[in-house]
Amino acid sequence: MAFHVAELECAIKAVRLGCTVARRVSASIALDSTQKGDRSPVTVADFGVQAVIKHQLQTHFPTDYVVAEESSSDIPDSQSSHLTSLVNTVLSPSQDLDITTIKSLIDWIGSSSPSSSSSSSSDRYWTIDPIDGTKGF
């Protein structure tokens, strides 16, 4: 099992960062949610958690596949500024990702470039459901 140490360390860090995003949003007074095409609720927390987790995976395992729930096409323009601030604050004070980069992270599916449909050189894949049960969140 020692050969999965790097993956475990990356996953733990990604989850911790995701928890920080979710806690910050949960602590705010207004939790704005919107509906996706399937009429299920989605919040800035869902998008932010997915972005920071994918940032970690893309940084450490850029050729791995990633399957995730959220799509950047569901981000309302009204939440873009809040999402950008949230992601940059949680990742690092020195981060300065713009909304286009964050959307690219949210949609990243694997290989060496975001949103690429080309085949990945890794046999490993990650599955992400940022906040399972947003209604209860």
Side-chain angles (χ1 to χ4, degrees):
M1 183 139 143
F3 59 92
H4 291 294
V5 170
E7 291 87 343
L8 182 60
E9 288 175 354
C10 178
I12 290 170
K13 183 172 183 179
V15 168
R16 285 185 175 147
L17 289 170
C19 286
T20 301
V21 169
R23 285 187 184 127
R24 286 177 184 247
V25 173
S26 179
S28 70
I29 294 172
L31 181 63
D32 293 330
S33 70
T34 189
Q35 288 186 341
K36 297 187 281 188
D38 65 0
R39 302 187 54 90
S40 63
V42 63
T43 68
V44 70
D46 295 283
F47 297 118
V49 170
Q50 185 164 310
V52 298
I53 290 173
K54 283 187 159 187
H55 182 269
Q56 289 302 304
L57 294 175
Q58 188 180 61
T59 299
H60 297 283
F61 305 105
T63 61
D64 286 5
Y65 286 110
V66 180
V67 178
E69 181 179 14
E70 308 308 342
S71 169
S72 69
S73 64
D74 291 320
I75 300 171
D77 290 339
S78 63
Q79 290 186 1
S80 293
S81 177
H82 185 203
L83 177 61
T84 301
S85 174
L86 182 65
V87 169
N88 285 324
T89 300
V90 170
L91 285 178
S92 165
S94 64
Q95 288 290 343
D96 192 22
L97 304 178
D98 61 19
I99 190 62
T100 302
T101 303
I102 292 168
K103 286 181 176 183
S104 182
L105 279 169
I106 289 169
D107 293 335
W108 178 66
I109 59 170
S111 86
S112 60
S113 63
S115 300
S116 173
S117 60
S118 64
S119 63
S120 175
S121 61
S122 177
D123 291 332
R124 181 177 43 233
Y125 71 92
W126 302 79
T127 303
I128 304 169
D129 184 355
I131 299 176
D132 188 30
T134 298
K135 281 185 182 182
F137 181 74

